[in-house]
Amino acid sequence: MASEFDNIVVTGLAAISAAGVGLEPLREALADGVSRLSPVPEEVLGETGHFWGKATAFRAADHMPPLKARKFDRASLFAVVATGMALADAGLDRAGLDPVRTGIMLGCGFGGIANSEEFLRGYFTNGSEGLVPMLFPNTVPNAPASNASIEHGLKGPNVTFVQRFCSAESALFMARHILEEGRADVMVVGGVDELNPMQMRGFRSMGQLFRYAGGFGEGAGLLVLEKADHARRRGARIIAGMGHARTVGQLVPGSEREGVARLLDGQPAAELVSLSGTAADVTLLAERLSDVPRLEIAPLTGRSLAMGGLALVAHLLTLPAGANGLHLAASPEGPYYAFRLRGGDPVQP
């Protein structure tokens, strides 16, 4: 009998984070539970006591010639490299891809912010003569997905979401619809973000270092989603099946329990729940899932607006074959997302 997990499957993963570059460093961090956050240098904020999740092991020169790397902003470098890693993990290359049927959808919170600051600084300092045209293409949050699609020849649907702490989940939600509607066979989906000293000073100015910006991180977490029949025709390894996805915009005051019930679709059977964004702060969610093992990567690798991609990768690295998983994400004042997963190939006994 067909189940909700039989239609869309995950065939590839990639991770770049404070834990390191690739899946194994993240797997090790999940196993030992030791935070990979590091102290923010005193010269950045003029004080000590703050931590961040910088991806210090990432070196663009390890993946491409330096001259080529110079044309990308940091978030685009993460996206270009992680997309290649995810496709390779899925056993896909340009020769085996139908470019028009392969797309990319990313969540991105602060992509291009360093380039934007440098571009605008030139203008405000020296007027139009201070503008550097080469910087401009990478001043927008959709630059990472665009650059990754160009570098890897992905000509299918290409969308970037900026939706606070649910940016990656918003991308995943739409990518599922793209596949369900038959508009693509393969979608690279997840989140990418960068972090720099200027952002940290901005967080401090807004009083966020001890709130939502505490322990911020950077990196990328990507999944390769495929229509199940497409994956099986090419003999792909299936990491997990994607089940139902639900979202609510707000938990309306006075009707919060109804909103949580709609989000969770009753009492879902799950053997692992991963929490992203501010989901861990939603008391009603914690109450409903108090008996389910929880996975939170923010203490390990940092929080970001697109951390959902990395949280999903961590979830799938942890979820045993045949086990049911639940991924929850939230932003302050909404939205809220819930995704059901099943480890391994859902049609295998």
Side-chain angles (χ1 to χ4, degrees):
M1 179 182 295
S3 77
E4 64 180 280
F5 304 101
D6 293 347
N7 189 32
I8 297 173
V9 297
V10 181
T11 57
L13 303 173
I16 298 171
S17 71
V21 179
L23 299 177
E24 285 310 309
L26 180 59
R27 200 191 307 270
E28 291 171 8
L30 293 167
D32 63 36
V34 177
S35 175
R36 269 45 172 188
L37 302 184
S38 58
V40 178
E42 185 175 358
E43 60 267 24
V44 172
L45 296 172
E47 60 188 49
T48 59
H50 300 283
F51 292 83
W52 60 1
K54 289 287 287 180
T56 54
F58 179 81
R59 299 286 186 274
D62 294 339
H63 307 280
M64 65 185 72
L67 189 61
K68 183 177 184 178
R70 286 181 57 192
K71 72 177 185 177
F72 298 127
D73 63 294
R74 186 164 175 81
S76 289
L77 287 170
F78 289 152
V80 169
V81 172
T83 297
M85 293 165 56
L87 291 172
D89 190 54
L92 291 166
D93 56 24
R94 285 195 180 222
L97 281 175
D98 180 348
V100 178
R101 300 285 299 171
T102 307
I104 183 169
M105 290 192 180
L106 298 183
C108 184
F110 291 104
I113 194 167
N115 279 49
S116 296
E117 190 268 344
E118 186 177 352
F119 183 79
L120 293 173
R121 182 184 295 275
Y123 176 74
F124 290 128
T125 302
N126 299 304
S128 59
E129 293 184 356
L131 294 173
V132 181
M134 190 176 74
L135 293 172
F136 183 75
N138 293 320
T139 61
V140 289
N142 64 319
S146 298
N147 285 319
S149 68
I150 293 169
E151 288 299 309
H152 296 285
L154 313 182
K155 299 181 180 180
N158 187 325
V159 181
T160 296
F161 289 83
V162 183
Q163 195 166 29
R164 300 184 76 181
F165 287 107
C166 291
S167 295
E169 285 79 10
S170 297
L172 175 58
F173 197 79
M174 184 169 183
R176 291 179 74 263
H177 283 295
I178 292 293
L179 292 169
E180 287 170 348
E181 292 166 2
R183 296 163 60 189
D185 296 319
V186 179
M187 292 295 299
V188 178
V189 62
V192 59
D193 251 328
E194 64 178 276
L195 182 63
N196 60 54
M198 183 266 295
Q199 285 172 257
M200 297 298 292
R201 291 190 287 270
F203 294 149
R204 180 184 59 187
S205 298
M206 294 185 293
Q208 290 293 321
L209 286 180
F210 292 101
R211 297 189 69 209
Y212 301 124
F216 238 61
E218 66 174 0
L222 302 186
L223 294 72
V224 176
L225 300 187
E226 292 187 55
K227 294 291 291 293
D229 56 354
H230 181 273
R232 293 194 176 95
R233 278 198 304 271
R234 67 179 188 87
R237 172 199 56 162
I238 293 178
I239 298 170
M242 293 290 302
H244 296 320
R246 300 177 73 88
T247 182
V248 296
Q250 288 184 317
L251 297 181
V252 179
S255 301
E256 293 92 343
R257 292 189 180 277
E258 179 184 354
V260 168
R262 289 177 178 271
L263 182 70
L264 297 182
D265 190 20
Q267 183 66 45
E271 290 144 271
L272 177 68
V273 57
S274 55
L275 302 174
S276 184
T278 59
D281 301 330
V282 182
T283 303
L284 288 177
L285 288 177
E287 291 176 355
R288 291 287 299 273
L289 300 164
S290 59
D291 297 331
V292 183
R294 293 168 48 162
L295 174 63
E296 296 182 62
I297 64 161
L300 294 178
T301 59
R303 185 197 300 266
S304 79
L305 298 188
M307 68 182 288
L310 201 60
L312 280 159
V313 171
H315 189 127
L316 294 174
L317 289 177
T318 308
L319 189 66
N324 291 327
L326 178 67
H327 175 75
L328 297 174
S331 282
E333 295 87 46
Y336 304 83
Y337 282 94
F339 296 90
R340 289 167 56 82
L341 310 101
R342 177 171 293 167
D345 189 336
V347 302
Q348 295 298 321

